[in-house]
Amino acid sequence: VPVLLSTVTVNLKDSPPFAGAAAAERFRTGQRWMAAGDTARAGEAFARARDLDELRFRADARINAIIREVAARGGAVLADAERAFGPVPRTDLFYEHVHLRFAGNYLLARTVAERIAPLRPPAGEWPDARRAAALLPYTPWDEYRMAAQMHAMMERPPFTRQAGYQAARQERLRELATPADPAAALLPYRAAVASRPGDIHLALRYAELLRAAGQPGEAARVWRGLIR
């Protein structure tokens, strides 16, 4: 069985270190380099800030070096997600320190899929991000629901002790100011469920959507089907 290993990508630019004066200073250095337009030096400073962080919530350089070394020594296929995301990953790829937004998940999936392709060629062209969202489906309701879950998590320590917490919190609240209408997501979900009747994860999300859209009876019917 072929084995694939992936390095771990984390948020560098938009997630300050959780603890440590040295880490905080390197992070500020990275911000100055970004402001000066030197992405390469900024990436080096942000990465060093991550490695000096005294609360290790993010995979550091040593972890990724071990993954690359083991892949090379053991003959595994390597999907180098850290390099695919670039020296300074974009703001739209992460919610916070590690959890990926849709754009980040799509980039990670493509990175892995392209390494699998020589072993199991795809049936056709890769769907672009918009087509992938339609196939899942990933709707504005899903986007809002995920953002709300992340916001609830980040209202607790250690996030509340991060530098820039209040500014980041205000940005999240602006993102959540206009709730998505769950009823608008019903049509794409029904189409997806009809095309993939055996997908239990899709059915679970559909049941949650039905409840949010004020159709508890239909949601209960889907849940009963899942229990069976």
Side-chain angles (χ1 to χ4, degrees), residues 33-44:
W33 282 121
M34 281 298 294
D38 194 328
T39 304
R41 287 186 176 179
E44 292 172 0

Side-chain angles (χ1 to χ4, degrees), residues 16 151 154-155 158-174:
H151 174 70
M154 295 174 73
E155 287 291 276
F159 301 100
T160 52
R161 293 195 287 267
Q162 266 187 308
Y165 164 75
Q166 287 298 337
R169 184 176 188 271
Q170 291 305 313
E171 184 61 33
R172 292 197 305 274
L173 290 174
R174 280 192 291 271

Side-chain angles (χ1 to χ4, degrees), residues 38-105:
D38 194 328
T39 304
R41 287 186 176 179
E44 292 172 0
F46 287 136
R48 185 59 181 155
R50 170 204 61 195
D51 292 350
L52 291 170
D53 196 342
E54 293 177 10
L55 185 57
R56 294 299 180 90
F57 268 29
R58 296 176 292 176
D60 58 19
R62 181 172 177 271
I63 288 173
N64 281 329
I66 290 170
I67 293 169
R68 293 184 183 105
E69 178 189 343
V70 170
R73 188 172 67 236
V77 176
L78 177 67
D80 205 332
E82 185 183 42
R83 287 178 181 157
F85 276 60
V88 182
R90 302 192 317 264
T91 298
D92 68 323
L93 300 178
F94 292 92
Y95 284 104
E96 22 68 289
H97 63 309
V98 294
H99 290 99
L100 297 170
R101 291 178 178 268
F102 180 81
N105 273 313

